[in-house]
Amino acid sequence: MTTNQSETAVQGRARRLAEDAAEAADVRRWQTHPDVVALRVERVRAQVDRLCWSGIVLGLAFTAANVQWFAAAGSAVGSLPWLTAWLLDPTVCLVLLAILRAEQVTARYQVHTGAWVRTAKWLTLAATYVMNTWSSWAAGSPAGVVLHSVPPLVVFVAAEAVTDLRDKLTDAVAVAFVNATVHGDVREPVRVEEPAAPVHEPNTPVHEPTDPAGELTVSAPEPVTPKPVTPEPPREGAARRKLFADYLADAREAWTSGVEITPAWVREATGCSRGLSSRLAAALRVEIGKGVRGGD
């Protein structure tokens, strides 16, 4: 192999490595893009919700028979007290499911609920546990206590854990936006302009007169005075879309010392949406070094 061939081979490998490195950097940049991270977090959030809700519903369904047996208190099968006992567990479970469903939305936007909400959730869970295990405690059966304690405790732990998980998943999206803003990695998708359709002029042949007796008289065209063109006023829809950095700049300009940075304040100062306000608040707190986390 000659020297020129060796240099050509080295240059070819170097070029391929440079292309691979550029492709890897572009892929990594888009993998850490806030929008891509938010999409992945939403997929994980949906999987977590499905799994937790399946476990909670199955656990509550298991407790329904125990609560009915506890409420029937030995009544004859098919009697009115026996039938009425089936209503006790759904009464408690429906209230618990309503609270958990509401927390699924409040945790998504990091809105903290009041003390009554947590009290109602714990009260319904405690009632379910007591009704499931009371007979085993009265009979002095450790095996029965353990058996009937597992489903209510699993439901209780899952109800508390799923709320915290949703809150942390929202924090993950906010952290991705903060990191991208600090490092300047946020890139807007490139809009591809479609080429205008070509104008095809008709290829109609021009037939000149062939009469030898007549002469063709061509008159000079009259001068045309161009009319002044009045520029059209800009349309409202042609305004540039406001980006995340624009909202952040507005919030930075509106903030003064002593003002607590919360999503509600960011919405009032910038007019942004509720979903974007928590990310803007997190980014602004990072910039000014204010580590206080505000509520909505």
Side-chain angles (χ1 to χ4, degrees):
M1 179 181 294
T2 63
T3 305
N4 293 335
Q5 293 177 346
S6 177
E7 292 178 355
T8 303
V10 171
Q11 292 177 359
R13 288 197 299 269
R15 184 172 57 256
R16 288 193 297 270
L17 289 175
E19 293 175 354
D20 294 341
E23 181 180 358
D26 192 57
V27 171
R28 183 176 65 254
R29 187 182 302 110
W30 282 108
Q31 285 179 342
T32 57
H33 191 278
D35 292 338
V36 179
V37 174
L39 179 60
R40 291 180 175 177
V41 169
E42 288 302 321
R43 291 175 178 172
V44 174
R45 190 197 303 272
Q47 295 174 359
V48 171
D49 285 340
R50 285 195 293 267
L51 293 175
C52 285
W53 276 106
S54 299
I56 290 173
V57 171
L58 291 176
L60 293 177
F62 178 84
T63 63
N66 298 328
V67 174
Q68 191 276 341
W69 184 81
F70 169 78
S75 300
V77 177
S79 62
L80 183 61
W82 186 88
L83 295 175
T84 307
W86 283 107
L87 301 177
L88 180 58
D89 187 70
T91 302
V92 178
C93 291
L94 288 177
V95 175
L96 176 61
L97 292 176
I99 296 173
L100 295 179
R101 183 67 182 92
E103 285 187 341
Q104 185 178 12
V105 179
T106 57
R108 177 187 183 91
Y109 298 102
Q110 296 183 329
V111 179
H112 300 284
T113 55
W116 278 107
V117 176
R118 185 169 292 272
T119 301
K121 182 169 64 174
W122 286 0
L123 180 61
T124 53
L125 289 170
T128 303
Y129 176 80
V130 171
M131 290 186 294
N132 270 271
T133 59
W134 183 264
S135 300
S136 299
W137 284 109
S141 172
V145 172
V146 172
L147 175 64
H148 297 299
S149 295
V150 171
L153 292 178
V154 170
V155 171
F156 177 81
V157 173
E160 289 295 329
V162 71
T163 303
D164 189 58
L165 284 175
R166 296 191 192 105
D167 185 67
K168 297 305 179 185
L169 289 173
T170 304
D171 284 341
V173 177
V175 169
F177 267 87
V178 171
N179 293 340
T181 304
V182 172
H183 299 292
D185 293 337
V186 179
R187 299 191 308 177
E188 291 296 323
V190 179
R191 299 180 60 184
V192 180
E193 299 290 343
E194 296 184 358
V199 179
H200 299 281
E201 297 182 355
N203 297 325
T204 304
V206 178
H207 300 279
E208 297 182 355
T210 56
D211 188 3
E215 294 183 357
L216 181 61
T217 305
V218 180
S219 59
E222 298 181 357
V224 180
T225 305
K227 297 181 180 180
V229 179
T230 305
E232 297 181 358
R235 295 177 296 177
E236 295 182 359
R240 184 177 68 89
R241 185 170 64 90
K242 201 169 184 179
L243 305 179
F244 180 85
D246 300 330
Y247 283 113
L248 183 60
D250 294 343
R252 189 187 307 112
E253 183 178 355
W255 181 81
T256 57
S257 179
V259 175
E260 183 182 5
I261 302 174
T262 63
W265 175 85
V266 171
R267 289 197 302 272
E268 181 180 356
T270 63
C272 66
S273 62
R274 178 178 290 270
L276 188 61
S277 59
S278 60
R279 303 168 185 170
L280 288 169
L284 185 58
R285 284 196 296 266
V286 170
E287 284 194 3
I288 66 175
K290 194 177 182 64
V292 180
R293 177 182 172 183
D296 198 346

